[in-house]
Structures are given as C-alpha cells and as structure tokens.
Amino acid sequence: MDSTRSLRLRELTRYPVVTSTHRIHALPVYIQIAEELRQNVESGIYRVGDQLPTEAQLSDRFNVNRHTLRRAIAMLRDEGLLRVDRGRGTFVAAKPIRYPIGKRVRFNEALKAHGKEGGYRLLRASEVPVEGAVARNLNLPVGASAVVIERIGLADGQPIDVTNGYFPSDRFPDLVERAQNMKSLSKLLREEYDCDHIRRSTCVSARTVKPNDARILGVPLNSPILLVESINCDRDGTVVEYGVTRFRGDSMELLFTNS
C-alpha cells in the first residue's frame, strides 16, 4: 500500500465514516469535502479529464472559505485523483502509465498493457554536428555528424513524451530519409541496419518543463517532467544512440527492470 493511500486511511479511521448525504461534524470539514468530491469522481459525476468547478463555485457549494477548500483539493491531488494546473484549474487525473525501463525499449508494449494504443509523431529528422553531451555520449569527436530524430510519443493520440534521439551518421546512412515514414524506430534499426539496440545506461531527473516542450505536451509552464537520458548500444557494445526523453510528470511512472 503506498504512503498517500495509507495516510488517507489513517485520517479516515480516526473519525466516523462519512457519506455524501450525511456528514458527521466530528470529521474535519476539509476531509468531508475531499470524501464527497472523491465519491463524485468514483460515481462518474466527474470523469477523467473533466475540469472541476472553480474555487469560488466549490467554496459556495460547500459553504467554506478557500483555505479549507484548498486543503481538500491538496489531499486529493496528493492521492493522484486530481491534478491542479496553475492558471487553468483543477482536473480529474488519469491513472499514470507505468513505463518499464529495461534493457530494451518497449514503448508500444507498455501502453498496450494499460489498454492504450501507442504511436509516434515525427517532428524532425536531420543531420547535425555534435558537441557537448551528444558528442561525449556517442563517443564522437566534436563536429562529427549525427542524425537527430525528434518525435512525440502518443497514448491514444495524446502526447505523453518528447524524445530527441541522436545516432552516428556513419553507422546509419540514409537514416534521415528512412525515418520519415517509420512506425517503429526499433523495427527500423533492426530490419534496415541489423541493429538490435540495447539500453546500456539510464539517468533520470525531475525538471520543470521548458516552454517549447510545454506547448508540445499541452501542459502549463510550471509542470514537472521526468527527464530521462539513455545510452543504447548494439550487440557488440558499440554506442548507437544517445536519447533525451521528457515524460509528462502527471501521466507517467518509470519502473526499472532487469529485462
């Protein structure tokens, strides 16, 4: 049982059980409000993606001040039931997609396990001179040529991540042209270049989304993302890709596996 769920149970078991029609005054008001809103979601009054009424409307509905209302909203946000987008409002949150980080990339399989259809939208494929982290992680000299493939990862047509993948141009000739109509990068590398790329290392950090990624992912500027830097190699251990992926922090969970 996760910590937020345990906290909710401890809070509720300290007091008599409350229903949406009969409140017990011994229960703190913000917990009463949270429980009623939770029941609204569970009964389908508010569905995933729906925006809740404004703070002013909810304060009037429950006859409380905004401080009390915000405590209730914060409680449900910490449980993962709601998300708060600054400047936009409060929404019913979708259950996060658990994405396994293992030796192989399994984007579509991970989404299928959640009953979602995976897909990509290509933003660009071009050759660029490498420098900095790209040159260092591809083991290339500064100024050498690499192919960058930037794409949006989709779940049921909705963006959940943005990835920049860098590939040595000498190892993957004509990759720019072949990437234009690809449906699976792993399949393309395997069938066209006999490259079964395997993840060698992964570094994960939390960041605030940058403006361009916020626009692509459809999230507010203050939103958190999970930044994942990965180095992939072929069967011989030669580095073939350096990838930088920005996952929506409100939609994704990363699970590290050994497979």
Side-chain angles (χ1 to χ4, degrees), residues 171-175 178 185-195:
R171 174 67 175 83
F172 301 101
D174 303 319
L175 180 57
R178 291 175 175 175
L185 180 58
S186 298
K187 185 177 181 181
L188 172 66
L189 298 181
R190 187 170 58 251
E191 294 182 354
E192 299 294 335
Y193 299 97
D194 190 30
C195 178

Side-chain angles (χ1 to χ4, degrees), residues 18 26 62 71 84 152 156 160 170 174 183 205 208 229 235:
V18 69
F62 294 110
R71 289 190 68 184
V84 180
I152 305 172
D156 289 342
I160 57 174
D170 290 346
D174 303 319
K183 293 185 178 180
S205 57
T208 300
E229 297 178 83
R235 289 184 293 265

Side-chain angles (χ1 to χ4, degrees), residues 162-183:
V162 186
T163 297
N164 286 57
Y166 298 89
F167 305 83
S169 297
D170 290 346
R171 174 67 175 83
F172 301 101
D174 303 319
L175 180 57
V176 170
E177 292 75 16
R178 291 175 175 175
Q180 300 301 320
N181 298 309
M182 70 174 181
K183 293 185 178 180

